[in-house]
Amino acid sequence: MFSDKIRAVVGLTALIWAFLAMPTAWAQNDPAPPSEDDVPIALLVDITSGQVLHSRNADRRFVPASITKVMTLYHAFELIEEGILAPRQVMTMGDDAWREWHGEGSTMWINAGDEVPVDHLLTGIANISANDGAIMLAEGHAGSVAKWVTGMNDRARILEMIGSHFGTPNGWPDEGYTFTTANDLVTLAEAMIGRHPEKFARYIGLPSFSYNGVEQLNHDPLIGRTQGADGIKTGYTNEAGFGYLGTAQRNGQRLVLVIAGASRYGVRSRSARSYMEWGFEAFDRERLFAQGQTVGTARVQGGSKREVALQTDRTVFVNVPSGRVSDLQLSIAYDGPIRAPFAAGDKVATLLIEGPGIEPARVPLVAIESIEEAGFFTRIMNGIVGVFS
């Protein structure tokens, strides 16, 4: 336990952060993408439709700082889903980890020898950016930080986060060994929300968290201020500047944003709120296809059939700038012919939606039926038909 003086300082710091994060008239009344001078890296994506609404340097690598903890959370969620980790499982803070991480940056103030359930660690990591909690989770489950980080990078490869690498579970400065991109962070956010909606709702976006008698506020710039906001994670170091990965949902539409490299706390807060509001206000959302609607066909190679019908796995919307008529162009893209065998529901193609004034939208298309590999005589007949068609 620590003194009343330290508790008072923690409480005062939380009040100062809360005051600095209060909404301003600029953020509420002037929604817009952030300027490049304020935010050098910015990305806003409608993950409901797959459409990029605005992008700046989305593939430029940068240091994520505490946004790294989103991959730690995702790795933990996957382990829970696989039955390898349990929220009720208890971890013990080791003496060495306590000496290294006690009071370092944002912490839960876990004491040496404390036994903490995984459930509490995940909540602390997600909402008060607990550096000590991330280390305790990593060592408690994997036996070492290095082994945990290997698991994080394995997950990143599975998600095809090709511009990312993680060297720590908490984003502590490591001379640039940890890096990511805005596109990769949107991929990570979409995977977390899509694969683990219940865990996302339980652990992400709480306004505060209390441990060892100390209540600390979540510094997220959107939750409690922007309609439909769920949060996700802020990040800051001197090297990285101020960054943020966040999301909000309205009327079935979910937007994910990334801002990175902001010079000041207030710039990050104002930019995030204005950026998100702009995303919801600047576009008219048009429905193109219902979920499960057939939109075209694709050629099949080496299959029992020569074509397969393609359908959407979601309701397809497109965002068109408000008040502007947009001549949309739709096309189907796939590496083809598609090689059999494949199962009904497998993603085999992409619906590409393009038009003046909008970023292209890419929507997965799935096979409407299973197609087996063709037998010997079927291959011969298909070859004959191919010659004369």
Side-chain angles (χ1 to χ4, degrees):
M1 303 298 289
F2 46 91
S3 68
D4 291 339
K5 182 178 180 180
I6 295 177
R7 295 178 192 276
V9 170
V10 172
L12 178 60
T13 301
L15 288 174
I16 292 171
W17 280 113
F19 175 76
L20 290 174
M22 289 177 65
T24 65
W26 183 91
Q28 292 175 321
N29 299 328
D30 189 23
S35 72
E36 189 165 6
D37 290 339
D38 287 335
V39 179
I41 297 173
L43 180 62
L44 183 64
V45 179
D46 179 353
I47 64 169
T48 317
S49 66
Q51 184 179 357
V52 176
L53 303 183
H54 177 260
S55 175
R56 179 189 301 129
N57 299 320
D59 285 319
R60 179 191 292 178
R61 292 178 175 180
F62 64 90
V63 176
S66 284
I67 301 174
T68 298
K69 296 182 177 84
V70 181
M71 179 53 80
T72 279
L73 292 166
Y74 178 77
H75 182 35
F77 290 175
E78 290 282 290
L79 291 171
I80 292 171
E81 197 69 21
E82 292 163 1
I84 301 172
L85 184 68
R88 65 180 180 276
Q89 188 176 344
V90 173
M91 306 291 185
T92 302
M93 173 61 83
D95 292 341
D96 291 343
W98 178 82
R99 278 190 290 269
E100 183 177 0
W101 291 101
H102 183 68
E104 288 287 354
S106 302
T107 73
M108 287 172 59
W109 298 102
I110 304 169
N111 293 313
D114 278 3
E115 296 183 345
V116 186
V118 168
D119 182 76
H120 289 6
L121 293 175
L122 294 177
T123 306
I125 293 165
N127 297 288
I128 60 170
S129 200
N131 288 321
D132 51 355
I135 297 297
M136 187 174 176
L137 176 65
E139 293 186 345
H141 173 76
S144 71
V145 166
K147 289 182 179 179
W148 177 270
V149 167
T150 296
M152 293 169 63
N153 287 310
D154 288 344
R155 302 289 184 191
R157 281 191 291 272
I158 292 170
L159 294 177
E160 298 182 354
M161 295 171 60
I162 59 175
S164 298
H165 186 271
F166 300 98
T168 74
N170 57 16
W172 196 255
D174 61 359
E175 300 181 349
Y177 196 63
T178 296
F179 55 83
T180 191
T181 69
N183 273 327
D184 281 358
L185 288 181
V186 169
T187 296
L188 177 58
E190 186 171 9
M192 175 180 280
I193 295 165
R195 290 178 57 82
H196 305 288
E198 294 181 357
K199 298 178 188 67
F200 180 83
R202 176 177 177 80
Y203 293 109
I204 306 297
L206 302 182
S208 64
F209 177 67
S210 178
Y211 179 77
N212 260 349
V214 180
E215 184 171 7
Q216 301 182 61
L217 298 179
N218 189 333
H219 298 159
D220 188 284
L222 297 188
I223 58 172
R225 303 175 181 89
T226 298
Q227 179 188 346
D230 301 288
I232 296 184
K233 192 71 194 69
T234 58
Y236 168 75
T237 63
N238 288 333
E239 178 187 18
F242 291 89
Y244 179 55
L245 170 64
T247 182
Q249 182 174 231
R250 298 180 190 174
N251 301 317
Q253 180 185 24
R254 181 175 286 282
L255 306 186
V256 172
L257 68 80
V258 178
I259 56 177
S263 59
R264 298 187 303 279
Y265 180 90
V267 169
R268 177 180 65 187
S269 298
R270 293 193 301 269
S271 297
R273 291 194 286 268
S274 180
Y275 203 18
M276 187 65 81
E277 290 297 340
W278 174 82
F280 284 114
E281 294 179 10
F283 299 87
D284 293 327
R285 195 169 183 237
E286 298 183 3
R287 172 174 161 167
L288 299 182
F289 299 105
Q291 181 175 355
Q293 184 172 345
T294 299
V295 300
T297 61
R299 292 173 58 202
V300 176
Q301 180 177 354
S304 54
K305 294 185 178 180
R306 300 186 68 244
E307 286 189 341
V308 63
L310 305 173
Q311 65 181 11
T312 60
D313 65 351
R314 66 195 70 182
T315 303
V316 178
F317 294 90
V318 64
N319 298 281
V320 182
S322 296
R324 295 177 58 179
V325 177
S326 182
D327 296 325
L328 298 179
Q329 297 178 345
L330 278 63
S331 59
I332 295 173
Y334 60 95
D335 294 328
I338 301 166
R339 183 174 293 277
F342 50 82
D346 283 354
K347 179 187 177 301
V348 295
T350 300
L351 175 65
L352 183 63
I353 306 169
E354 300 174 287
I358 66 170
E359 295 280 350
R362 294 172 174 83
V363 181
L365 294 177
V366 300
I368 200 171
E369 61 180 328
S370 300
I371 294 185
E372 302 296 332
E373 188 174 2
F376 176 74
F377 291 107
T378 302
R379 290 199 301 271
I380 293 176
M381 290 301 299
N382 286 342
I384 294 171
V385 172
V387 169
F388 291 100
S389 62

